[in-house]
Amino acid sequence: MRKNSIKNTRINGEVQKELSVIIQNEIKDPRIAPMTSVVAVEVAPDLKTCKAYISVLGDEKAAADTLAGLQSAEGYIRRQLARTVNLRNTPEIRFILDQSIEYGVNMSRLIDDVISHDTGK
């Protein structure tokens, strides 16, 4: 199976949706920030591993705590994923902090500053 096949894209979308539901509704760990979202998921073609890109609204401590909480709950999340998504193998999940949203907001603010500085002359 190719990496970007239709089947793999479908599996990525389904796993992303279910991970979001599990993280938002089923995990009660106080370390996990309430504004945590699953930005993207990449399931390997052999369905053995999965990279889940997580975005956390808050400071760096909240992001680090959320990542630690998710890593400690990985077994539970994987078990819940096995129940909801019918796959031959339930992938081992690796959580990766995604800062692209924060980066985009930062760039937007910098662009606004430059525009307001130019119009102020």
Side-chain angles (χ1 to χ4, degrees):
M1 180 169 41
R2 294 185 321 275
K3 185 166 177 67
N4 292 329
S5 68
I6 294 172
K7 180 180 177 185
N8 202 341
T9 305
R10 241 183 23 237
I11 290 172
N12 289 344
E14 188 67 25
V15 169
Q16 179 180 353
K17 186 175 73 172
E18 291 302 326
L19 270 179
S20 296
V21 169
I22 292 168
I23 290 171
Q24 291 297 322
N25 301 333
E26 298 180 22
I27 297 181
K28 304 294 184 227
D29 194 329
R31 293 178 290 182
I32 298 175
M35 292 300 289
T36 301
S37 59
V38 181
V39 178
V41 170
E42 291 178 7
V43 179
D46 63 354
L47 304 177
K48 299 273 189 215
T49 60
C50 166
K51 293 179 187 174
Y53 295 93
I54 305 295
S55 176
V56 179
L57 188 65
D59 58 351
E60 288 183 21
K61 184 184 178 339
D65 288 348
T66 298
L67 211 53
L70 288 173
Q71 287 168 346
S72 70
E74 194 257 342
Y76 174 78
I77 294 171
R78 193 172 173 194
R79 208 167 27 255
Q80 293 302 102
L81 196 62
R83 287 186 184 152
T84 55
V85 179
N86 186 19
L87 294 174
R88 188 175 340 134
N89 299 322
T90 304
E92 185 179 315
I93 305 166
R94 209 171 79 218
F95 294 102
I96 300 169
L97 191 61
D98 183 43
Q99 297 171 328
S100 61
I101 295 174
E102 185 179 324
Y103 178 78
V105 169
N106 235 357
M107 281 296 148
S108 181
R109 191 173 346 105
L110 289 173
I111 290 170
D112 291 343
D113 288 349
V114 168
I115 290 173
S116 66
H117 182 70
D118 282 350
T119 56
K121 285 187 175 179

